[in-house]
Amino acid sequence: MRAAGASTPAAYRPALLSDVPSGAILAVSFKDVDQLLARIKAEPTLGSALPPFLSGVRSLGGEGVLYLLPGVLLPVVTLELQPRDPAAAVKSLRALAAK
């Protein structure tokens, strides 16, 4: 039962999902990259499976889509992000690349 005066969250309408090619094997859309990484890190079984370099990733925020395309031997993995603060995301990714 919903409390009086409580509002429902706005429906998530993925914008980046339209960028996924029609031949994709799999596509996963998510609305907040930082929140997704925090939830994965909090899970004991999933958090330990993340590569160590992802621990320094911050300020990506915003929407993202991950998709797989058929490849010759292995599928091609693509991650497309649309951060809320592009400058902060660039800084975070440069720091990650420096590791």
Side-chain angles (χ1 to χ4, degrees):
M1 190 175 226
R2 188 173 302 275
S7 62
T8 58
Y12 171 56
R13 303 214 189 287
L16 295 179
L17 204 51
S18 63
D19 292 350
V20 176
S22 62
I25 301 168
L26 171 77
V28 178
S29 175
F30 41 92
K31 67 178 183 176
D32 189 340
V33 179
D34 293 335
Q35 183 183 41
L36 176 67
L37 285 175
R39 289 179 72 182
I40 290 172
K41 290 175 189 175
E43 284 292 324
T45 54
L46 295 177
S48 61
L50 279 177
F53 65 84
L54 281 179
S55 63
V57 175
R58 289 174 176 60
S59 304
L60 293 178
E63 183 182 347
V65 65
L66 174 76
Y67 59 89
L68 303 177
L69 294 170
V72 176
L73 294 175
L74 298 171
V76 177
V77 179
T78 303
L79 174 63
E80 186 175 336
L81 303 171
Q82 187 175 38
R84 284 186 289 271
D85 183 355
V90 167
K91 185 177 178 181
S92 180
L93 292 174
R94 284 193 174 145
L96 175 65
K99 290 182 180 182

